[in-house]
Amino acid sequence: MATTVRRTVLNLPAAPLGPENPLPALRLLDEMHVVDNRDRAGLPRDMARQIGYEPLATVLPVRILDGYGRDRVPTGLDAIVIENDRLRATVLPGLGGRIHSLHHKPTGRELLYTNPVLQFADFALNGAWFSGGIEWNIGATGHTTLSCAPVHAARVPAPDGGEMVRLWEWERLRDLPFQVDLWLPEDSDFLHVGVRIRNPHEHTVPVYWWSNIAVPEGERTRVLAPADEAWHFGYERTLTRVPVPGTGSVDRTYPLRGDFPADYFYEVPDGARRWIASLDGDGHGLVQTSTDLLRGRKLFLWGSGPGGRRWQEWLTEPGTTGYAEIQAGLARTQLEHIPLEPGGEFSWLESYGPLSADPRAVHGDDWAAARAETERRLAEALPRVDVDAAYAAWRTCADNEPGEPIATGSGWGALEVRRGKYQLPGTPFAESTLGEQQAPWLELLDQGAFPEPRRAAPPGPSLVSPHWRDMLETASAEPLTEYHLGVAQWHAGDRAQAVRSWERGLALAPSRWPLLRCLAVAAEESGQWDRAADLYTEAFDDLCAERRDDGDAWTSATAALGREAMEALLTAGRPGAARTVWAGLCPAVRQRGRFRLLEARLLIAEGDRPAARAVFDEGFEVADLREGAEILDEVWAELTDEPLPDRYNYRMRPRT
């Protein structure tokens, strides 16, 4: 059959994503993948330089997604199917363009780990993320803020005269447009993926990219890559060079043989073909290869310890096959960012398909022989020159204008293109995509003034790039303008000026709680715990007085501000004031797992440990538990010397 592209609906039990958190993300980024400055001294010079190159402090202007739960309901997800007589790829344009499934028809094998449910967890840079399939991580170290966001999608002419699917969006952390072209040639066993990231600005921009592939985990599953060494990163936050496949009896190429979750970034020699494969006990599985620009290869494993196994259950459902991740990126490790010059671009081609090799060689004790067998089979299935030729052919089509739209992403790209008058052939950001969130910024751009709201509501999202900050600084100093200006100044590192802007806005603001909350965060960040507690108390009282209804926007604002206020009041040693905030939350919010944990902390602060223990004994689930968080261990340790129950054990590193 010729390659076809069609729309469909994928039905899964899914947890609703919930509304965005309306509070701007002012706090330092809570990212686990960081290395202490002292530990960089022994690293290769280019790696150390790129690890220190413009890491993000916050995820502004993106909003946090923490409004999801764990109650799943049958849900139809819009999907795109790209299919020939050998391979079928199913793509989710409403969820970052994730490839959910890659099915090899002749063998009947699913090449990816396909999650049977859609369950969000707090793993992305901005919160909500889900496991399974192939995801496209762009922006900064971690899972992209687009994990659960819609992207634009359309049909585009393919190099072989057929059709391919283009996915594209505007990445807001670095203000960069990118595209992902999915091309499945007729009769091919391999899906080609052409990726392009462009820098339309007049300044150099840091770039991050890792393609993240979830593969089935098994006792005999082995991950192979062309390397004899790797950089090991564990949740102890250290980066060390280790031999591959391992030392002694520990073979790091089998995901289930580790105790704790860990990353292994393979040291692929210069000139070697870029590839990584996951093969089962019979030698069957998936291989990913690429043109040389995509340098890095990585294995992430959950390990066989209780914390890793608990996370596996948490991300799907008990009894489901686990998974590991094989990845490919622009740098050697995910801790690095690469400079992209003004007007420049990065582009490459990746290929995904089935691979079968002799299991005796793959699982033998001779690592060099295992690698050589895998690479030989890859060369037979897809020669390196064919990948290079496919890349050259795809580049001739990269600027082709999309045809029939299949899905629509956000309006932020259209706003930026209109402001910057950028010419981006192949990735049009139509003004028809501009929506309610972009409307006030469009007025600022066209009229020079930021409109005051027509009704009481939580403020919309802030923009923080230098050009928007400049426009806010020259606009009339109305309260909402000062609020957004302060957020932009805070993002730029000018915290004193941000505080002054928020204080100016507060003097005349009809809605005081958004500004009070920003000032409370500023006080916390400077160690003024009592002042922060006072400001949070005033902010929460003002919000409760202003709240108009029990709709999603107000409920989300009340929950987000209430949570921050309670944590600040407990830090300041004011359990009585924290109890008052607790009473101001609606009953449904108080029943959420995050707030049940807060209730236990409040009861401990009030001196009622038996009641706090009863909260744990009754059971709760913190839906937005952060990757690497140890808060459950810490609160439990305040209650008892007993071992932490398995249901609360998400530990990702050894106890020290």
Side-chain angles (χ1 to χ4, degrees):
M1 62 180 290
T3 300
T4 61
V5 174
R6 59 184 170 87
R7 303 184 195 190
T8 189
V9 174
L10 178 67
N11 294 296
L12 289 178
L17 183 59
E20 294 178 328
N21 185 324
L23 307 183
L26 301 176
R27 300 182 192 280
L28 287 175
L29 192 63
D30 181 20
E31 171 53 44
M32 298 299 299
H33 294 82
V34 294
V35 175
D36 189 277
N37 287 336
R38 293 170 297 181
D39 293 334
R40 296 182 197 168
L43 300 178
R45 189 171 301 172
D46 62 330
M47 182 188 292
R49 182 173 59 251
Q50 290 175 172
I51 287 175
Y53 177 47
E54 294 195 27
L56 287 182
T58 75
V59 296
L60 288 168
V62 177
R63 286 181 150 185
I64 301 297
L65 294 173
D66 59 4
Y68 51 88
R70 294 199 46 88
D71 293 329
R72 297 189 284 264
V73 297
T75 304
L77 304 172
D78 289 337
I80 304 168
V81 173
I82 310 162
E83 184 173 17
N84 64 11
D85 61 352
R86 316 269 317 160
L87 210 59
R88 181 171 62 247
T90 304
V91 185
L92 302 177
L95 293 164
R98 178 89 55 110
I99 296 181
H100 173 75
S101 166
L102 193 61
H103 179 79
H104 188 235
K105 295 181 178 182
T107 60
R109 294 203 312 268
E110 173 57 50
L111 303 181
L112 305 174
Y113 166 77
T114 57
N115 199 330
V117 303
L118 179 61
Q119 177 57 60
F120 303 112
D122 191 3
F123 275 63
L125 286 164
N126 64 328
W129 172 86
F130 63 102
S131 64
I134 306 173
E135 61 176 310
W136 318 111
N137 288 303
I138 181 174
T141 300
H143 292 284
T144 177
T145 61
L146 294 166
S147 291
C148 300
V151 297
H152 303 283
R155 300 171 189 264
V156 182
D160 59 357
E163 284 187 322
M164 60 185 179
V165 172
R166 175 162 300 157
L167 310 171
W168 75 98
E169 197 31 288
W170 191 276
E171 200 287 310
R172 301 179 65 210
L173 297 181
R174 304 299 194 181
D175 267 339
L176 295 176
F178 72 98
Q179 71 189 73
V180 177
D181 288 355
L182 306 176
W183 170 31
L184 180 59
E186 186 175 348
D187 299 326
S188 174
D189 278 312
F190 283 83
L191 175 70
H192 295 317
V193 180
V195 182
R196 178 166 63 167
I197 304 169
R198 286 184 276 193
N199 178 10
H201 308 295
E202 296 178 353
H203 58 272
T204 301
V205 177
V207 170
Y208 173 93
W209 181 281
W210 282 81
S211 302
N212 186 349
I213 309 133
V215 291
E217 179 189 67
E219 288 290 342
R220 293 275 291 160
T221 296
R222 192 176 205 187
V223 171
L224 302 104
D228 292 315
E229 292 183 306
W231 293 93
H232 168 261
F233 183 86
Y235 285 79
E236 305 90 339
R237 301 191 180 191
T238 57
L239 189 64
T240 55
R241 201 164 188 157
V242 297
V244 177
T247 53
S249 61
V250 179
D251 189 326
R252 298 182 175 92
T253 63
Y254 289 90
L256 280 173
R257 296 188 185 177
D259 292 329
F260 288 92
D263 297 328
Y264 292 96
F265 300 101
Y266 294 109
E267 188 67 50
V268 179
D270 290 342
R273 184 175 185 180
R274 276 45 167 153
W275 61 269
I276 189 167
S278 174
L279 303 179
D280 64 17
D282 295 322
H284 304 307
L286 174 135
V287 66
Q288 186 268 5
T289 187
S290 71
T291 48
D292 288 352
L293 183 67
L294 204 63
R295 173 183 185 178
R297 292 299 185 275
K298 170 194 163 182
L299 163 64
F300 168 76
L301 55 86
W302 283 106
S304 58
R309 304 330 296 170
R310 183 73 182 103
W311 271 119
Q312 290 265 35
E313 291 182 355
W314 183 254
L315 294 169
T316 177
E317 57 187 9
T320 304
T321 301
Y323 74 97
E325 293 172 358
I326 59 175
Q327 303 187 24
L330 284 172
R332 279 187 287 191
T333 74
Q334 288 176 328
L335 289 71
E336 302 168 67
H337 299 87
I338 309 271
L340 179 57
E341 298 301 318
E345 67 176 53
F346 290 142
S347 66
W348 64 91
L349 185 121
E350 308 178 40
S351 300
Y352 297 81
L355 193 70
S356 293
D358 183 346
R360 294 168 299 178
V362 167
H363 297 287
D365 294 333
D366 187 335
W367 173 244
R371 280 175 37 199
E373 164 66 7
T374 307
E375 189 153 6
R376 182 177 69 82
R377 295 300 183 104
L378 171 59
E380 293 172 354
L382 184 65
R384 187 175 186 176
V385 294
D386 287 2
V387 175
D388 292 336
Y391 170 70
W394 167 72
R395 285 294 289 139
T396 66
C397 299
D399 284 350
N400 286 354
E401 289 303 315
E404 178 195 347
I406 304 176
T408 303
S410 78
W412 297 113
L415 182 66
E416 292 298 337
V417 167
R418 178 159 174 175
R419 184 206 60 79
K421 299 180 173 56
Y422 301 125
Q423 299 297 316
L424 299 169
T427 55
F429 293 93
E431 293 204 1
S432 60
T433 62
L434 292 165
E436 182 180 356
Q437 289 191 332
Q438 293 81 41
W441 298 96
L442 192 60
E443 186 167 334
L444 174 64
L445 178 63
D446 291 344
Q447 307 296 328
F450 199 90
E452 287 297 302
R454 297 183 178 86
R455 57 184 175 82
S462 300
L463 293 183
V464 297
S465 298
H467 39 264
W468 294 108
R469 186 173 72 247
D470 290 345
M471 280 185 265
L472 289 167
E473 286 175 345
T474 57
S476 177
E478 301 298 330
L480 188 56
T481 305
E482 296 289 355
Y483 163 80
H484 287 299
L485 175 58
V487 173
Q489 291 165 334
W490 181 272
H491 175 264
D494 192 350
R495 296 190 169 188
Q497 190 59 54
V499 168
R500 285 192 285 271
S501 295
W502 291 327
E503 288 176 340
R504 282 197 306 269
L506 191 62
L508 298 174
S511 179
R512 293 168 53 83
W513 66 266
L515 292 149
L516 289 166
R517 181 266 175 176
C518 290
L519 291 168
V521 173
E524 273 193 318
E525 292 295 307
S526 60
Q528 301 176 64
W529 312 118
D530 286 330
R531 174 167 167 74
D534 290 340
L535 288 164
Y536 267 121
T537 299
E538 189 178 354
F540 190 76
D541 289 345
D542 186 72
L543 170 59
C544 290
E546 184 180 313
R547 187 172 56 198
R548 294 294 186 266
D549 53 48
D550 293 325
D552 283 348
W554 285 110
T555 298
S556 179
T558 306
L561 184 58
R563 171 181 168 180
E564 289 188 8
M566 286 188 66
E567 290 174 342
L569 290 164
L570 290 173
T571 299
R574 301 187 192 180
R579 176 62 66 181
T580 300
V581 172
W582 175 262
L585 298 170
C586 69
V589 169
R590 291 200 294 263
Q591 289 304 308
R592 296 178 187 174
R594 171 63 64 180
F595 288 87
R596 294 285 283 157
L597 177 60
L598 259 179
E599 181 186 18
R601 294 173 58 194
L602 175 57
L603 289 165
I604 292 171
E606 292 172 333
D608 194 348
R609 279 179 166 74
R613 173 63 186 264
V615 172
F616 275 84
D617 291 343
E618 183 180 338
F620 60 87
E621 294 181 320
V622 181
D624 61 331
L625 188 68
R626 185 67 174 165
E627 174 188 10
E630 297 176 358
I631 184 66
L632 291 169
D633 310 53
E634 295 163 2
V635 176
W636 178 260
E638 292 188 60
L639 295 173
T640 178
D641 293 331
E642 297 173 21
L644 182 70
D646 288 345
R647 68 184 299 180
Y648 300 120
N649 186 357
Y650 298 89
R651 193 167 189 87
M652 301 181 77
R653 62 175 179 167
R655 297 184 186 277
T656 55

